[in-house]
């Protein structure tokens, strides 16, 4: 079945957020769109899937809404029997991406300077001595794909990012810092956080993130895959493989989850280890599953490595 996946966000003040949530729920239901929408007083963050007609209509409806004009919709067409988004979830939260910092303290008014993919490419081509490239994502994302020479913070959740910055301020002292994330949403506030610390000489962020950069420069300075937060997991860009299998360290870059549902470890597993350890993360988990002592996770979708785009 051909589905179009829309990925978008916008930082905008929403005063009547519950009202907007109800409206969004009704709109998506009416168009039979599936996926998730997060609304907060600071804006909207969404991934929605549906037919080409329904998603096209949705974009028009959003364009006509006073709050949601001029959104940079990123989209991809998937032709698959796998249902990537089985449900619709529209929720109200404190932040559209959880940083655990009150949206009124670190706002996008203080955000870093946006660079277009072209400006980014130019900056990296003539890389100044004092330029530091900082990955604004979690470590497991950066492991399978990142910009050349980027600092990859060893964090598991975005909400650990502010603490990482606080503890590593000397890395950014008097530097020009180029930040990036998947589609740009995290950098809007993460770059504001870094700027407010007052140590960096300049803070840049890539407009539209890795997503927009690799569209323009598929063989540019980004190596590996763009990790995405839906069932697709990672989206191939070129043929580079920058990750390694967690079990045998061979060069590989596809994640899986341990078959032992109680373990559920998210790890990189090569096809050989997948077979050898029967889809589990270790000999221990393999034994537990073989003995029927633990529940097992449902089968994973077939990995498709050639999706065209990502968030
Ligand atoms: Zn392996
Ligand atoms: Zn395990």
């Amino acid at each position: 079945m051909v589905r179009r996946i829309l990925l978008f966000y916008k930082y905008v003040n929403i005063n009547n957020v519950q009202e907007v949530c109800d409206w969004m729920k009704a709109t998506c239901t009416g168009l039979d769109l599936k996926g998730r929408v997060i609304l907060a007083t600071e804006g909207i963050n969404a991934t929605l899937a549906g037919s080409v007609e329904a998603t096209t209509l949705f974009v028009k409806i959003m364009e006509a809404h006073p709050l949601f004009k001029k959104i940079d919709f990123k989209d991809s067409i998937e032709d698959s029997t796998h249902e990537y988004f089985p449900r619709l979830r529209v929720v109200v939260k404190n932040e559209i991406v959880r940083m655990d910092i009150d949206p009124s303290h670190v706002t996008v008014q203080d955000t870093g300077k946006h660079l277009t993919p072209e400006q980014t490419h130019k900056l990296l081509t003539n890389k100044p001595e004092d330029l530091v490239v900082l990955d604004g994502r979690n470590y497991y994302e950066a492991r399978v794909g990142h910009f050349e020479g980027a600092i990859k913070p060893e964090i598991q959740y975005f909400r650990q990012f502010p603490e990482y910055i606080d503890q590593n301020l000397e890395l950014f002292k008097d530097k020009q810092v180029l930040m990036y994330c998947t589609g740009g949403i995290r950098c809007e506030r993460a770059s504001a956080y870094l700027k407010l610390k007052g140590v960096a000489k300049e803070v840049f962020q890539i407009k539209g993130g890795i997503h927009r950069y690799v569209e323009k420069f598929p063989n540019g300075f980004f190596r590996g895959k763009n990790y995405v937060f839906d069932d697709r997991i990672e989206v191939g860009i070129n043929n580079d493989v920058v990750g390694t299998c967690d079990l045998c360290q061979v060069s590989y870059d596809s994640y899986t989850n341990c078959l032992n549902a109680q373990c559920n470890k998210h790890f990189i597993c090569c096809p050989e280890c997948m077979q050898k350890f029967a889809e589990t993360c270790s000999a221990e988990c393999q034994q537990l599953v073989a003995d029927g002592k633990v529940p097992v996770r449902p089968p994973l979708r077939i990995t498709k490595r050639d999706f065209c785009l990502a968030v």
Side-chain angles (χ1 to χ4, degrees), residues 245-250 269-274:
C245 172
D246 280 313
L247 300 178
C248 74
Q249 272 67 55
V250 77
C269 189
C270 77
E272 264 176 45
C273 289
M274 193 80 120

Side-chain angles (χ1 to χ4, degrees), residues 258 260 263-265 280-282 285:
C258 182
N260 171 4
C263 169
N264 200 36
K265 184 177 170 181
T280 64
C281 74
S282 59
C285 281

